[in-house]
Amino acid sequence: MKRGLRSRLTQYGDEEFALFLRRGFLKGAGYTDEALDRPIVGILSTASDFNPCHGTAARLAEKVATGVRLAGGLPFIFPTISIHEAFSFPTSMLLRNLMAMDAEETMRALPMDSAVLIGGCDKTIPAELMGAISADMPSIVLPVGPMLAGKHEGARLGACTDCRRLWAEFRAGTLDQAGLDRAHDQLMPTSGTCMVMGTATTMATLAETLGFTLPGAATAPAVSSERMRIAEATGTRAVAMAKAGGPRPSELVTAASLRNASMVLQAISGSTNGVVHLAAIAGRAGIRYDLDELDRIGRETPVLLNLKPAGAHFAEDFHAGGGVPALWRRMQNHLDLDARTVLGETLGAVVGRWPEYVDDEIIRPLNRPVVEGEAIAVLKGSLAPDGAVIKLSAATPELCQHDGKAMVFDSLDDLEQRIDDPALEVTPQSVLVLRNAGPIGAPGMPEAGALPIPKKLGKQGLKDMVRISDARMSGTAFGTVVLHVAPEAAAGGPLALVQTGDLISLDARGRRIDLKVDSSELGRRREQWKAPAKPPRGYARLYADHVTQAGEGCDFDFLQQQRG
Ligand code: FES
């Protein structure tokens, strides 16, 4: 197999000419012949002014390059799409597959022997992993790392759990504008990813568990010197992988490593987005992600990590408390410790030499979980024949068994226009239903599933009510929220047929979500239902035509089960 500059030569019908030309251009850029004979490490930089979570990415890329040079390799830093949660209209999820294609196709096209994937903000690590798996490029993930927690008027604050809490208090009138403005300055006090167990921390932790990072890389704070040292070591390791030709993603993503990831997802009370991304990652490796197994694992796996929103602490505390390998050690009788890592060794070997110290308050022993019961449960029933999920660890226990009348919002626009209408006929027992917010319907399945509590109920002090949608929810959010209802409304799922006033029954313990309307009435409604129009052109049309449902990862059908 051709390596370094000789790999993936441009096709002119004359390979030696293609190499001659390539070397010539690089000499023109100031490289020497000696440098050009080294193994090449591609460094995917997601630095972008539109992505403040990746404010340190350019410096990290330089540190990776230093590590590559120290180990005798040649680093090439190159850009990819960079997606930030709060900067992507209509939602970052719409662009995840595009970023995955960008990563895959550049890895296929450019001369590199291994890749370092710098990511962090929610969709970036999943996209990079999906691309790397499809290209089967020896790859090592470098998360940008979490922000430090904010300090404000005697309390610690964390994005975005406290953003949501403070905003809810502001909407309810219990926090004034001045109080909100003072807290605003401290919610995101440094560069880095959200420092609670949101999607970014979840996916960094799962990337480490799948073996794609150096030990400790998921949790070291973004602005720490340790993060910079990890970057350098990542570059050094990438050269060894370039020389050895592996480990490749196909050696790391296996049924066993995915089971480990599901177990860790439950133990950290991770983001429900982790379910969608794991399904997509599995699909790229030709493995069907089993939602029933995730549910079964949840019933057997206590929530051990005491991080917001399920717990009380922040990502920097997770790191100081022992980090991901310390969590693996807690779970070592349940995880498959033979699963491999980018170091070419097993999780068990990493655990074996990881420092013994663990903070019992942050990473709890198995017999002292953070919350009673499981983190994420999978529901099925007449409203969600192909499944839905609920994050039980973020829900109100009394609402998890609940019958109530539906208040239906037909779209995100409809929700925005009517949710605060004083005449809206809702009570604390109502079930708020949002549809046409799924993968096809929105499109892109935005994080709109935690519908705001109607202002008139919020002002009465109501903090939670049952909410159901085909949308997703941020990992930093909380509430009794049923998500990812499949099939989604835009694909003709039963959610499309619900009418305001219908009775809906949530039985989370029994894993049921049911629409209590008789079948003849539903048949009549179905005859009148029309699929919403798809976007007329471009990437949005490609997305709507090919995106799969949440349980299959919302990947494009033509990208699953492909291997380079
Ligand atoms: Fe970037 Fe939360 S918005 S990680």
Side-chain angles (χ1 to χ4, degrees):
M1 190 174 143
K2 291 179 180 144
R3 293 276 173 84
L5 222 53
R6 285 188 165 273
S7 66
R8 303 177 189 87
L9 286 166
T10 311
Q11 291 190 325
Y12 297 116
D14 181 345
E15 287 202 342
E16 288 310 312
F17 174 70
L19 182 62
F20 173 75
L21 213 56
R22 182 176 280 179
R23 283 186 90 97
F25 277 111
L26 284 168
K27 283 184 175 191
Y31 288 88
T32 62
D33 278 323
E34 195 222 338
L36 296 179
D37 286 335
R38 294 180 173 201
I40 297 176
V41 175
I43 303 168
L44 280 78
S45 172
T46 42
S48 162
D49 288 344
F50 285 116
N51 192 342
C53 290
H54 292 201
T56 54
R59 186 150 177 247
L60 284 172
E62 285 301 335
K63 291 299 283 182
V64 173
T66 301
V68 171
R69 289 187 196 101
L70 285 172
L74 178 60
F76 280 128
I77 300 170
F78 67 102
T80 65
I81 300 170
S82 188
I83 312 167
H84 185 280
E85 281 309 291
F87 284 80
S88 311
F89 175 82
T91 171
S92 62
M93 187 65 175
L94 187 67
L95 297 176
R96 184 203 63 179
N97 294 352
L98 186 63
M99 184 176 176
M101 292 171 87
D102 178 346
E104 176 184 346
E105 297 308 328
T106 44
M107 280 187 245
R108 283 187 195 284
L110 301 174
M112 67 184 87
D113 302 306
S114 67
V116 174
L117 316 174
I118 301 178
C121 196
D122 299 13
K123 308 301 175 291
T124 54
I125 288 179
E128 290 172 331
L129 280 177
M130 289 159 68
I133 293 164
S134 291
D136 210 19
M137 170 68 67
S139 299
I140 178 164
V141 171
L142 176 64
V144 297
M147 300 175 203
L148 294 175
K151 295 186 182 62
H152 177 63
E153 298 181 355
R156 293 171 89 199
L157 294 183
C160 284
T161 299
D162 289 306
C163 316
R164 292 173 196 287
R165 177 180 60 78
L166 292 167
W167 189 252
E169 288 174 13
F170 176 65
R171 274 176 56 84
T174 53
L175 178 69
D176 64 14
Q177 184 73 53
L180 187 70
D181 290 347
R182 283 198 307 279
H184 205 192
D185 285 344
Q186 301 305 326
L187 282 167
M188 292 91 167
T190 69
S191 277
T193 50
C194 293
M195 65 300 232
V196 298
M197 190 46 78
T199 305
T201 312
T202 298
M203 292 315 300
T205 301
L206 296 185
E208 187 164 335
T209 300
L210 287 168
F212 275 94
T213 75
L214 293 185
T219 50
V223 292
S224 64
S225 60
E226 189 177 0
R227 171 64 52 192
M228 293 297 151
R229 291 193 295 273
I230 289 171
E232 190 176 295
T234 297
T236 300
R237 179 62 201 154
V239 175
M241 291 167 69
K243 288 178 179 166
R248 292 182 179 273
S250 50
E251 297 169 72
L252 303 183
V253 183
T254 63
S257 70
L258 286 163
R259 205 171 302 118
N260 283 345
S262 294
M263 212 171 281
V264 166
L265 177 66
Q266 296 282 16
I268 62 177
S269 183
S271 165
T272 44
N273 287 321
V275 180
V276 181
H277 298 317
L278 279 180
I281 286 166
R284 292 297 183 109
I287 299 169
R288 191 181 72 82
Y289 189 66
D290 187 346
L291 287 178
D292 293 333
E293 180 176 66
L294 174 73
D295 188 75
R296 208 162 44 243
I297 287 171
R299 292 173 194 262
E300 295 159 3
T301 308
V303 175
L304 299 181
L305 192 65
N306 191 2
L307 251 59
K308 285 190 174 203
H313 300 277
F314 297 91
E316 68 195 72
D317 306 314
F318 183 16
H319 189 66
V324 177
L327 177 68
W328 297 340
R329 186 181 284 129
R330 283 278 195 244
M331 303 170 70
Q332 62 187 331
N333 293 335
H334 305 275
L335 294 172
D336 185 338
L337 293 182
D338 289 335
R340 295 182 67 204
T341 79
V342 283
L343 290 170
E345 57 186 20
T346 63
L347 294 192
V350 174
V351 169
R353 56 161 198 284
W354 195 248
E356 288 292 329
Y357 174 76
V358 60
D359 185 330
D360 283 345
E361 178 52 23
I362 308 292
I363 305 173
R364 296 283 185 84
L366 291 170
N367 61 4
R368 197 161 66 83
V370 179
V371 291
E372 288 304 322
E374 55 272 55
I376 297 172
V378 177
L379 310 175
K380 289 215 172 121
S382 58
L383 191 53
D386 293 344
V389 302
I390 182 170
K391 192 168 181 182
L392 293 175
S393 54
T396 304
E398 304 76 54
L399 285 174
C400 286
Q401 311 295 126
H402 180 84
D403 287 3
K405 289 196 171 158
M407 168 52 67
V408 179
F409 299 94
D410 233 351
S411 66
L412 284 154
D413 285 346
D414 184 30
L415 172 71
E416 213 168 301
Q417 280 163 24
R418 290 198 296 128
I419 188 74
D420 289 334
D421 183 345
L424 193 73
E425 289 189 8
V426 282
T427 70
Q429 286 72 42
S430 298
V431 173
L432 302 183
V433 174
L434 171 66
R435 66 178 165 219
N436 296 316
I440 300 169
M445 207 183 178
E447 288 185 341
L451 282 70
I453 303 295
K455 234 178 204 167
K456 71 178 196 184
L457 297 178
K459 284 194 168 144
Q460 293 165 20
L462 189 72
K463 296 225 163 20
D464 193 12
M465 54 198 301
V466 175
R467 290 159 270 178
I468 299 173
S469 74
D470 44 15
R472 296 175 299 114
M473 175 174 90
S474 164
T476 63
F478 38 85
T480 310
V481 182
V482 177
L483 302 152
H484 309 184
V485 167
E488 64 171 301
L495 195 64
L497 309 180
V498 185
Q499 291 183 355
T500 291
D502 288 349
L503 193 64
I504 290 179
S505 174
L506 169 64
D507 171 13
R509 256 197 303 278
R511 300 296 196 257
R512 298 283 310 176
I513 181 77
D514 287 298
L515 174 62
K516 302 285 191 182
V517 175
D518 71 55
S519 54
S520 58
E521 169 62 14
L522 287 178
R524 195 184 58 75
R525 292 181 194 177
R526 180 164 295 288
E527 277 170 21
Q528 286 164 10
W529 178 78
K530 280 197 188 66
K534 287 182 176 176
R537 61 170 294 281
Y539 175 75
R541 180 56 186 250
L542 177 83
Y543 192 94
D545 282 344
H546 291 284
V547 70
T548 59
Q549 294 290 287
E552 300 158 292
C554 296
D555 199 0
F556 292 150
D557 49 12
F558 59 87
L559 293 177
Q560 291 178 314
Q561 297 179 359
Q562 301 289 318
R563 205 166 250 183

